[in-house]
Amino acid sequence: MKSVLMTKALFKVCLFFLTFFFLLAEPAFPQSQSLEIAVIKQKLQAKLDSIQKMSGIPGAVFSCILEGGQKISIASGLSQLEKPKKMPKNAHLLAGSIGKTFFAALSLMLVEEGKLDLDAPIKQYLGKEPWFDQLPNAHTISVKMLLNHSSGIQEYYELGDFMQKLKENPDRVWKAEDLIAYVWGLKPLFEAGKDWSYADTNYLILGIILEKITGKSVYEEVKQRIIAPLRLKNTFPSVSRELDGLVCGYSMPNSPFGFSGAMIVQGQLVLNPQFEWTGGGYVSSVDDLSFWIKSLMEEKVLNQSMLALMKDGLPAKTGKNHAYGLGLQIRPYSGGTSYGHGGWFPGYLSEMAYFPEYKIAAAFQINTDDFGKLKQSPYFYLLELVECLKKG
């Protein structure tokens, strides 16, 4: 009995000191800060709801990470129209060309390791390929020119019968060489390094080089080096017509890909997204995208010198005073310069950007590519949402 009483007394003393400690300790998130975040979230939700309703798009998601590390994620509208479901905050959407940032980062990791030379002619890596001499500007293109789209090679998917074959056989698995073949023997758009023209073709060629150097799948390399260490749990390759949790996208009328309306029918995409490969090639969420661009720009992935190379841009034809680095869009806004990338895949639009002046990372995705409804670019709406953060 005595030992029991002593145990009870000791328990009361411990409980007293624990209570005293917690009363004195400062909360991890002070009440004033929590209230401020709640107000910002309300403003963001109102803005996102306004964008969704006024444009008539099915649904939208937005995520941001503030300077202090606080994360805000919101959603608006529907993830599908046929049997209406609310858009979840962690929705999986096709991220389109945002995937180029992963492959560019992988390239710079290999540069740092001495395995890849940005200034080397691509002949050094591909010269023995039987099709090499058929590439436009084949002997004057450097690896860097592929990364910043100054190779003079045009976009493959706009050529020949690619769109027709994609639609006729949606289950086809495309080899990179089959896609690059559409530009073989064509006249280059300009001399290598003398101008700028965006083309997924550049990144398909880059992907072949990366796999030759590493001896592994580029998807596996990105997973081991980037996705797994950063715990990007909602980011994975878009390599089949059935993708886990993918939200239904809605393609614009008269889409260049020849599809319109719902992109998922009876649980399957109407085309195989596998063809995109290193031109994009990923499903992701706004939470993952905002964390990815924050990690990249704050030197958690590349060191300072490699990041500086990535941010060294050429004038780009995507907007006034826009530039393009190594897999990175560099765009001005009212407060300074943002770094990130946009993405388009039939039925889906994505944007992510880092704003160094405010140390804010943000991402915005919608499940349609109907620019007629949007009226403005996705980047325009991303800036509108970020403006809510600046005003606090």
Side-chain angles (χ1 to χ4, degrees), residues 8-305:
K8 287 183 177 179
L10 182 61
F11 174 79
K12 287 181 180 180
V13 171
C14 291
L15 182 62
F16 170 80
F17 280 108
L18 282 171
T19 304
F20 183 73
F21 172 78
F22 284 118
L23 286 172
L24 288 180
E26 184 179 6
F29 297 99
Q31 188 176 7
S32 59
Q33 186 178 349
S34 299
L35 289 172
E36 183 181 355
I37 296 298
V39 170
I40 293 172
K41 188 172 182 178
Q42 286 180 346
K43 288 183 178 182
L44 285 169
Q45 188 68 62
K47 171 57 74 173
L48 190 65
D49 289 343
S50 174
I51 292 169
Q52 186 268 323
K53 289 173 183 175
M54 289 184 67
S55 63
I57 60 176
V61 277
F62 173 80
S63 174
C64 61
I65 304 174
L66 308 183
E67 182 177 1
Q70 305 93 334
K71 183 179 75 174
I72 300 174
S73 303
I74 55 174
S76 185
L78 302 174
S79 63
Q80 68 175 47
L81 300 177
E82 293 73 25
K83 293 181 180 179
K85 292 182 181 179
K86 286 187 177 181
M87 178 71 82
K89 292 185 288 186
N90 65 341
H92 293 174
L93 293 97
L94 288 164
S97 287
I98 283 178
K100 289 182 175 69
T101 59
F102 291 119
F103 301 115
L106 171 59
S107 299
L108 288 164
M109 288 176 173
L110 295 174
V111 170
E112 186 181 1
E113 293 167 9
K115 298 175 182 177
L116 179 66
D117 182 352
L118 291 179
D119 296 318
I122 62 171
K123 182 179 180 179
Q124 180 173 316
Y125 305 99
L126 301 175
K128 294 182 180 179
E129 295 294 332
W131 46 262
F132 178 74
D133 288 332
Q134 297 183 69
L135 284 177
N137 289 334
H139 295 270
T140 53
I141 298 171
S142 69
V143 174
K144 187 175 183 180
M145 291 173 192
L146 297 176
L147 281 156
N148 64 18
H149 299 289
S150 63
S151 70
I153 296 175
Q154 62 184 293
E155 189 60 271
Y156 75 89
Y157 63 70
E158 300 170 347
L159 303 171
D161 61 357
F162 171 72
M163 297 291 192
Q164 180 183 342
K165 286 186 175 180
L166 187 68
K167 193 170 184 178
E168 288 175 351
N169 186 3
D171 288 314
R172 176 173 175 173
V173 175
W174 294 79
K175 294 181 180 179
E177 288 84 353
D178 295 336
L179 301 170
I180 294 168
Y182 282 98
V183 305
W184 288 349
L186 296 182
K187 184 179 179 181
L189 298 174
F190 48 81
E191 291 182 41
K194 299 296 184 181
D195 204 343
W196 187 89
S197 185
Y198 188 91
D200 282 9
T201 322
N202 291 311
Y203 274 70
L204 297 183
I205 298 168
L206 175 69
I208 296 172
I209 292 173
L210 296 178
E211 290 198 339
K212 282 184 176 293
I213 291 172
T214 63
K216 296 180 182 178
S217 155
V218 282
Y219 282 131
E220 188 59 32
E221 283 289 317
V222 169
K223 180 180 178 180
Q224 291 180 2
R225 291 170 176 263
I226 299 172
I227 291 174
L230 294 180
R231 299 180 182 178
L232 304 178
K233 296 180 180 179
N234 296 315
T235 301
F236 52 91
S238 51
V239 291
S240 76
R241 294 177 66 192
E242 295 182 16
L243 297 166
D244 184 35
L246 182 68
V247 161
C248 185
Y250 294 86
S251 187
M252 71 179 98
N254 303 314
S255 167
F257 278 81
F259 299 95
S260 62
M263 291 298 294
I264 297 179
V265 177
Q266 297 181 346
Q268 283 191 322
L269 282 162
V270 297
L271 78 171
N272 189 354
Q274 171 273 338
F275 75 90
E276 193 181 26
W277 198 45
T278 47
Y282 281 94
V283 172
S284 196
S285 68
V286 284
D287 279 355
D288 274 11
L289 294 179
S290 59
F291 187 72
W292 160 234
I293 194 62
K294 177 182 172 66
S295 301
L296 182 61
M297 291 296 105
E298 294 184 357
E299 299 176 20
K300 302 296 192 300
V301 179
L302 300 172
N303 64 30
Q304 188 176 32
S305 62

Side-chain angles (χ1 to χ4, degrees), residues 290-361:
S290 59
F291 187 72
W292 160 234
I293 194 62
K294 177 182 172 66
S295 301
L296 182 61
M297 291 296 105
E298 294 184 357
E299 299 176 20
K300 302 296 192 300
V301 179
L302 300 172
N303 64 30
Q304 188 176 32
S305 62
M306 291 298 105
L307 185 58
L309 286 174
M310 193 176 198
K311 293 165 69 174
D312 184 17
L314 296 174
K317 299 172 183 178
T318 54
K320 186 178 180 181
N321 297 323
H322 286 196
Y324 197 94
L326 305 185
L328 198 66
Q329 286 184 276
I330 304 162
R331 295 170 285 191
Y333 71 104
S334 60
T337 300
S338 75
Y339 298 89
H341 215 288
W344 166 59
F345 191 89
Y348 304 86
L349 290 170
S350 302
E351 276 290 349
M352 69 172 189
Y354 182 77
F355 303 86
E357 293 79 13
Y358 304 101
K359 292 184 172 61
I360 289 172

Side-chain angles (χ1 to χ4, degrees), residues 62 351-353 355 362-364 378-386:
F62 173 80
E351 276 290 349
M352 69 172 189
F355 303 86
F364 172 66
Y379 182 65
F380 173 87
Y381 292 114
L382 181 73
L383 291 180
E384 283 204 329
L385 288 158
V386 170

